[in-house]
Amino acid sequence: SPPSSILLKRAANLAKASGISGKEIIGKVNKKQIEEIAKLKLPDLNTTSMEQAIKSIEGTARSMGIAVEG
């Protein structure tokens, strides 16, 4: 499956991620979008827990400058 960063950029309609991670918010995604990405990426992640997969995707989003709403 595609990398999480590409899926997050598609979900937030962004061309590229923030250059200043953690300080500059350039896009937003909601919890439902995060869950869909986590379901898609679950076989590739080193966890079997959906909660841990969601946390991993949320962390990737935050590091890219994408806020998670909800």
Side-chain angles (χ1 to χ4, degrees), residues 8 27-31 34 57-59 61-62 66-70:
L8 285 164
K28 296 179 184 178
V29 293
N30 60 35
K31 285 280 193 182
I34 293 287
I57 302 299
E58 286 176 343
R62 279 193 298 274
I66 299 172
V68 179
E69 296 180 331

Side-chain angles (χ1 to χ4, degrees), residues 53-64:
I54 290 171
K55 286 183 181 182
S56 174
I57 302 299
E58 286 176 343
T60 302
R62 279 193 298 274
S63 71
M64 293 173 63

Side-chain angles (χ1 to χ4, degrees), residues 31-67:
K31 285 280 193 182
K32 186 175 180 180
Q33 291 171 310
I34 293 287
E35 288 178 18
E36 290 172 7
I37 293 170
K39 284 180 188 175
L40 181 66
K41 293 295 294 176
L42 191 59
D44 297 336
L45 298 174
N46 57 356
T47 184
T48 56
S49 168
M50 189 61 177
E51 285 183 23
Q52 290 299 320
I54 290 171
K55 286 183 181 182
S56 174
I57 302 299
E58 286 176 343
T60 302
R62 279 193 298 274
S63 71
M64 293 173 63
I66 299 172

Side-chain angles (χ1 to χ4, degrees), residues 1-32:
S1 62
S4 302
S5 59
I6 290 176
L7 297 172
L8 285 164
K9 286 191 286 188
R10 284 184 194 160
N13 294 322
L14 298 174
K16 64 178 189 169
S18 170
I20 308 169
S21 67
K23 296 185 180 180
E24 181 182 33
I25 303 297
I26 59 167
K28 296 179 184 178
V29 293
N30 60 35
K31 285 280 193 182
K32 186 175 180 180

